[in-house]
Amino acid sequence: MAAGTVTALEAVTGAAADDLAARALETATQEFSTIVSTHRPQIFRFLLASTRDVDLAETLTQECFLKAHRNWSSFRGESSAMTWLMRIAINLQKDHWRNRRMQFWRHTRTNAVDLDEASDWLPSGERTAEQQILAKEQVSQVWRAVKGLSERQRTVFMLRYVEEQELSEIARATGLSEGTVKAHLSRAVGRVRAELGGKR
Amino acid sequence: MRFIGLFGKKRDRVETSTELDLAGADEALEQALKNFRQSVLSWSEAEFGRARPAAKTVRQRSWRLAAGWALSMVLVAGSVSGGVYDHHRRTEMAKAAAAAQAAERQRAVAEQRAREDEEDLLAKVDSDVSKEVPSAMEPLAQLMAEDDIR
């Protein structure tokens, strides 16, 4: 009689555990879906600004979320999800350029748009034609300066001035110290300033 | 004094690096960075919502993969066949050299044998002649002996 009761209890406990696991999985999936829908545009934007290649940015964004999904269980929330995702995106971008350097015969052609085309994008705000031309010229100059930056300087610059992240966030996302981030930003801004100054 | 100078320089550098956050000091720079950000945002927004043909990328990638494989197979086949041909050529050359050496050796042996046969023949002729000459000279020798007696 007692043995029968224990077996029944075990069965009930097992079913409850399975139910709990299924619920946890469902919750995690929902959480991840929310993360994707919230942060995907930002990751895409960062990768687009870094590569100037729409297809590549899209591919790397997909790879970023695929990798994030695979490692979602290991995300302990020590940093924000955005910082974690950004770190994955930065590493993927780094790997991409490294592979491209190693396998130069695979991609002889790049889809990156040229600087003038990238500078064509301006919000159609309340601006006069003259202001639009001036803004386009400035954007073009910044793109030219960005093109001359090293990979790390460009990453830091984009995170600061496009994503408007704090220095501490940038440091966490890039794995650099805040001092190094400041130094990279300083050089990047110096370049932009020189480009703007040269044209003025 | 020297340490003060170094530290002073370091502090200046840090201040220079932090001044980038104070980009407002340079209005043109601030405006340019603002325009740049807006430009990137609007570009990204436009591209993010746009549907892209994923199949094309996949096809391009598979084509590239196939081309890469084909190229590597051609290179491998080329290097293997080149190696085989080279090996074959070396073997043939070694065979030809060995045959030439053997022929040369045979020719030398034949020459030697012919020379020896000739020498034997000459020796035989010499011995035959030397045997016949004394009897042929005998009457002349006798005449010479008779003259002496007289």
Side-chain angles (χ1 to χ4, degrees), chain A residues 88-152:
Chain A
I88 296 174
I90 290 167
N91 286 334
L92 279 171
Q93 187 198 330
K94 217 184 283 176
D95 288 347
H96 169 78
W97 293 120
R98 195 184 299 141
N99 289 343
R100 192 172 157 153
R101 272 196 294 273
M102 298 290 285
Q103 303 174 351
F104 58 91
W105 65 86
R106 282 186 69 182
H107 300 279
T108 49
R109 188 172 59 90
T110 173
N111 292 325
V113 300
D114 61 26
L115 300 180
D116 287 337
E117 202 179 326
S119 313
D120 282 343
W121 291 95
L122 279 175
S124 53
E126 296 142 3
R127 293 177 190 229
T128 62
E130 196 184 342
Q131 282 172 332
Q132 288 269 3
I133 292 167
L134 184 67
K136 191 186 165 184
E137 178 61 22
Q138 281 180 334
V139 172
S140 180
Q141 285 167 351
V142 177
W143 272 122
R144 269 200 291 276
V146 166
K147 196 185 175 188
L149 298 179
S150 71
E151 192 185 309
R152 200 167 273 182

Side-chain angles (χ1 to χ4, degrees), chain A residues 58 121 127 138 161-162, chain B residues 35 37-39 43 52:
Chain A
E58 181 63 35
W121 291 95
R127 293 177 190 229
Q138 281 180 334
Y161 291 108
V162 177
Chain B
N35 285 332
R37 182 170 187 270
Q38 285 179 345
S39 169
W43 183 23
R52 271 176 292 281

Side-chain angles (χ1 to χ4, degrees), chain A residues 156 166-172 174-185, chain B residues 17-18:
Chain A
V156 168
E166 293 297 323
L167 293 180
S168 55
E169 277 181 292
I170 299 173
R172 272 198 296 275
T174 53
L176 300 169
S177 69
E178 275 194 42
T180 313
V181 169
K182 278 179 188 175
H184 282 311
L185 267 178
Chain B
S17 64
T18 49

Side-chain angles (χ1 to χ4, degrees), chain B residues 53-130:
Chain B
K56 193 183 167 188
T57 319
V58 171
R59 211 183 308 126
Q60 272 182 353
R61 278 193 171 182
S62 58
W63 178 84
R64 277 179 193 156
L65 194 68
W69 269 104
L71 184 65
S72 41
M73 291 313 288
V74 165
L75 285 174
V76 167
S79 54
V80 167
S81 59
V84 168
Y85 171 72
D86 190 49
H87 177 72
H88 177 70
R89 193 175 58 86
R90 279 168 193 266
T91 314
E92 287 297 312
M93 278 173 69
K95 272 184 192 169
Q101 272 184 352
E104 180 68 24
R105 215 177 299 127
Q106 272 185 350
R107 198 174 57 81
V109 168
E111 272 180 11
Q112 178 72 23
R113 203 170 290 157
R115 211 177 298 126
E116 282 171 6
D117 287 349
E118 200 175 334
E119 278 170 8
D120 287 349
L121 183 64
L122 281 173
K124 189 170 178 288
V125 168
D126 279 349
S127 69
D128 287 352
V129 169
S130 63

